[in-house]
Amino acid sequence: GENVEQHPSTLSVQEGDSAVIKCTYSDSASNYFPWYKQELGKRPQLIIDIRSNVGEKKDQRIAVTLNKTAKHFSLHITETQPEDSAVYFCAPPICSARQLTFGSGTQLTVLP
Amino acid sequence: GAVVSQHPSWVICKSGTSVKIECRSLDFQATTMFWYRQFPKQSLMLMATSNEGSKATYEQGVEKDKFLINHASLTLSTLTVTSAHPEDSSFYICSAKEGPYEQYFGPGTRLTVT
C-alpha cells in the first residue's frame, strides 16, 4: 500500500524563523499534494496544495515544493508566528483509490 | 469554500449503547464521503469510504458490523458505532469531496464511552 513518511514529528522554532516539514511518498502516480493544519481539538484545514505539473507554489508566508523524482514534497512557513503553532499533516492521495493517506503529523511550536 | 457539518459535536455514552454520527455537506453534493478516527496525539486514520447509493468500503482492521455506514443521499452520510466500548472513545471526523481533489472536513465528533 501507500507509504507516507513525514518528518520531523516535532519542531520548535523561534517566532520569525522559518519552519520546514517534509513528506515522502511511494506512489509515483500521485498527482495532488495537500498540506493540512489542525489546531487542538479542531478539524484539519487545507492550507496549501500543489498539483504535479508545478514544482512550487506560494501563498503569502506558506509555500509547498514538490520533487517528483525524489517523491517528496515540503511545507515551508516563513516569518513564523505563534498562531502557526499546530499539527501539520501531509496527505498525498493514492491514485488507485480516491482517499487521502495522512502522514503521521508534525507538531509545530512557535516560541514567542 | 465548501462547508461540511457534523452532529453531534460531542457525546458521552455508556458502554454497550450505540451512537449515530451525521455528516452533511451543506452547499455541495458529495458522492463520496470519508470517515476518519483520530486518537490523541495521533494522525487521522481512515476508517471507511462512504459512497452514495452503495455499500461503504472499509479499511483493513475496521469492523463492518461495529461501524455501520449509511450514505443515504448526496449530502448525508451517517456512522453508527454499535455496542460502543471505552476503547471506541475517540475523535471521529468525516470529510466530503468536492471535485476530484479537495476534501473538506467536518468539525469532528468527540465520543466518550464510559
Side-chain angles (χ1 to χ4, degrees):
Chain A
E2 174 69 8
N3 187 28
V4 179
E5 293 186 1
Q6 188 175 333
H7 298 282
S9 57
T10 60
L11 178 62
S12 293
V13 298
Q14 291 291 330
E15 183 177 358
D17 288 349
S18 296
V20 181
I21 304 169
K22 183 177 178 180
C23 182
T24 303
Y25 61 96
S26 61
D27 187 351
S28 58
S30 293
N31 57 6
Y32 173 66
F33 306 90
W35 282 97
Y36 288 86
K37 174 184 180 182
Q38 186 179 29
E39 298 178 14
L40 188 63
K42 297 185 178 180
R43 78 185 86 187
Q45 297 274 9
L46 178 68
I47 55 172
I48 195 167
D49 57 19
I50 193 170
R51 310 290 166 86
S52 60
N53 56 344
V54 296
E56 184 177 5
K57 180 179 178 181
K58 287 185 179 179
D59 182 4
Q60 299 181 332
R61 297 186 296 109
I62 295 173
V64 55
T65 58
L66 172 63
N67 185 327
K68 289 213 74 178
T69 302
K71 294 183 186 176
H72 65 73
F73 63 111
S74 299
L75 175 68
H76 304 256
I77 306 175
T78 59
E79 300 174 28
T80 53
Q81 301 169 1
E83 52 265 36
D84 294 330
S85 296
V87 179
Y88 292 82
F89 294 99
C90 64
I94 304 171
C95 288
S96 59
R98 292 180 294 170
Q99 65 266 34
L100 299 176
T101 301
F102 283 84
S104 52
T106 297
Q107 173 68 61
L108 173 65
T109 303
V110 179
L111 304 170
Chain B
V3 180
V4 177
S5 71
Q6 214 172 312
H7 176 80
S9 55
W10 61 271
V11 58
I12 301 174
C13 298
K14 290 186 177 180
S15 186
T17 59
S18 294
V19 183
K20 179 183 284 189
I21 303 170
E22 292 187 351
C23 179
R24 293 181 184 271
S25 55
L26 298 185
D27 53 359
F28 67 100
Q29 293 184 330
T31 55
T32 303
M33 292 184 175
F34 304 93
W35 287 96
Y36 297 84
R37 181 166 52 182
Q38 186 177 36
F39 293 106
K41 298 186 179 181
Q42 293 187 20
S43 187
L44 288 85
M45 297 301 297
L46 179 66
M47 299 175 65
T49 300
S50 172
N51 301 294
E52 188 269 336
S54 64
K55 293 182 178 180
T57 303
Y58 290 81
E59 294 301 299
Q60 189 174 6
V62 178
E63 299 176 55
K64 300 179 182 181
D65 295 331
K66 181 169 183 63
F67 299 99
L68 302 178
I69 292 173
N70 184 294
H71 198 143
S73 73
L74 289 172
T75 59
L76 172 64
S77 176
T78 61
L79 168 68
T80 301
V81 183
T82 62
S83 186
H85 291 284
E87 56 266 30
D88 298 322
S89 298
S90 187
F91 192 50
Y92 292 86
I93 307 177
C94 71
S95 71
K97 293 192 71 172
E98 184 189 41
Y101 297 111
E102 291 85 358
Q103 279 188 221
Y104 296 93
F105 287 85
T109 296
R110 187 161 300 283
L111 169 64
T112 301
V113 184
T114 60

